[in-house]
């Protein structure tokens, strides 16, 4: 019974973590889209950024699934989070540069 309780708690924690991560990522991408819409006054840019995230997910999900099945999960999780932080820092710097130019 004790082992089942631990697994159940891990699944709940993983679910909440995934939920908040997705909400944060989606909010950030929507904010970037709105900022670019405000900067360029072009709905095409807004649409492009909104389609970017699902497009990337559709393209890379099969390859990521195979990779995850073959390698250590802890290293993948750490690398993924580090990549996410680096991506957000680069996007934030780029957005800040756009704001300064306009």
């Amino acid at each position: 019974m004790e082992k089942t309780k631990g697994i159940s708690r891990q699944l709940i924690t993983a679910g909440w973590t995934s939920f908040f991560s997705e909400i944060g990522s989606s909010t950030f991408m929507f904010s970037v889209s709105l900022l670019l819409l405000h900067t360029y006054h072009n709905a095409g840019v807004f649409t492009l950024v909104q389609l970017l995230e699902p497009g990337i997910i559709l393209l890379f999900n099969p390859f990521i699934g195979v990779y995850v099945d073959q390698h250590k999960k802890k290293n993948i999780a750490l690398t993924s989070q580090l990549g996410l932080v680096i991506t957000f820092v680069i996007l934030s710097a780029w957005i800040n540069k756009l704001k300064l130019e306009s």
Side-chain angles (χ1 to χ4, degrees):
M1 181 70 175
E2 190 68 34
K3 187 174 182 177
T4 309
K5 200 175 202 180
I7 292 172
S8 173
R9 185 173 180 187
Q10 285 179 339
L11 288 174
I12 291 170
T13 303
W16 280 111
T17 302
S18 179
F19 172 76
F20 284 116
S21 175
E22 185 63 33
I23 290 291
S25 176
S26 296
T27 303
F28 181 77
M29 290 304 289
F30 186 71
S31 300
V32 168
S33 299
L34 288 177
L35 180 65
L36 291 173
L37 178 64
H38 178 73
T39 303
Y40 293 112
H41 303 289
N42 185 349
V45 174
F46 178 83
T47 305
L48 182 67
V49 173
Q50 287 298 305
L51 292 175
L52 191 64
E53 185 179 12
I56 290 172
I57 290 170
L58 284 173
L59 284 175
F60 290 107
N61 252 0
F63 304 112
I64 291 171
V66 170
Y67 185 83
V68 166
D69 288 341
Q70 296 174 352
H71 293 84
K72 290 184 179 180
K73 310 304 184 253
K74 184 177 180 180
N75 292 339
I76 293 171
L78 291 174
T79 305
S80 169
Q81 290 301 316
L82 181 63
L84 189 61
V85 169
I86 290 170
T87 302
F88 282 156
V89 167
I90 290 171
L91 276 173
S92 298
W94 181 58
I95 291 167
N96 194 25
K97 182 182 174 195
L98 285 175
K99 283 176 68 175
L100 292 176
E101 289 176 358
S102 60

